[in-house]
Amino acid sequence: MPSSETPAHATILDLTPASDAHVIAAARHLLLDYGRFVISHPAAARFCFASLEQEAANLPNSYHDIGGGSLIALIGGQPSGFVAWRPAPGPLADHAWELKRLWVPPTARGTGLGRILTQAVLDRARAAGRTAVYLDTVPDAMPAALRLYLDMGFAPCAAYNDNPVEHLAWLVKFP
């Protein structure tokens, strides 16, 4: 897909248990594509692909059933991006979400989908009365994602989870 395609051509769909089976299958494929990308980088060597496979197999329930959700972006009907969110861990759960698994495959980069998907989660967080959205990322493996988050106003914060991946950056935004 050419990177000159504008975000105006994107369709963003909430994944729910009632979603079309083909859309859910496409979201699973994107989620696993994200996992393969992450484990291919030495900086994320402790990433657990097996748990991601289980997450993908249970979509959309793996997020929907715990008070979160997930979105898939389509450009020209083609699966082009994915993001999920869930209640933040521990005492943060009552007022914050954790943004998870933002993925725009190389064929759709440059379209603005990463920003659109992240903003969609922030908008939903605000509408749900959440006061913060947290995330963690591996800057060495995903420098463009880190730049996007910082450009969107996320700020470094203390570790809020027990993610075993080394060299993480923890970020928060108050929507």
Side-chain angles (χ1 to χ4, degrees):
M1 169 172 314
S3 63
S4 62
E5 184 133 12
T6 65
H9 293 99
T11 301
I12 309 297
L13 302 173
D14 278 282
L15 294 176
T16 70
S19 293
D20 179 271
H22 295 293
V23 171
I24 292 171
R28 288 179 177 140
H29 176 79
L30 286 167
L31 185 54
L32 293 173
D33 192 31
Y34 160 85
R36 284 186 288 273
F37 173 82
V38 172
I39 63 172
S40 72
H41 285 71
R46 296 185 66 188
F47 182 81
C48 182
F49 192 76
S51 67
L52 186 73
E53 288 176 314
Q54 184 176 26
E55 210 173 285
N58 291 326
L59 273 179
N61 297 333
S62 47
Y63 293 102
H64 189 268
D65 287 356
I66 60 170
S70 54
L71 303 171
I72 186 171
L74 307 173
I75 294 180
Q78 295 302 307
S80 302
F82 178 85
V83 70
W85 65 93
R86 64 184 180 196
L92 300 172
D94 291 338
H95 68 86
W97 279 347
E98 182 180 28
L99 187 141
K100 300 293 293 178
R101 316 298 189 214
L102 176 64
W103 177 246
V104 176
T107 56
R109 292 191 186 149
T111 61
L113 280 182
R115 182 175 297 276
I116 290 169
L117 289 168
T118 302
Q119 188 61 53
V121 174
L122 293 170
D123 292 346
R124 284 163 174 75
R126 189 177 308 104
R130 299 296 171 152
T131 59
V133 174
Y134 289 82
L135 65 87
D136 60 38
T137 189
V138 182
D140 291 342
M142 297 175 263
L146 179 62
R147 281 191 306 277
L148 170 69
Y149 299 137
L150 295 173
D151 287 349
M152 292 185 73
F154 281 85
C157 66
Y160 64 87
N161 61 23
D162 60 358
N163 190 331
V165 176
E166 296 175 357
H167 311 294
L168 284 176
W170 288 272
L171 304 171
V172 63
K173 181 172 173 78
F174 302 97

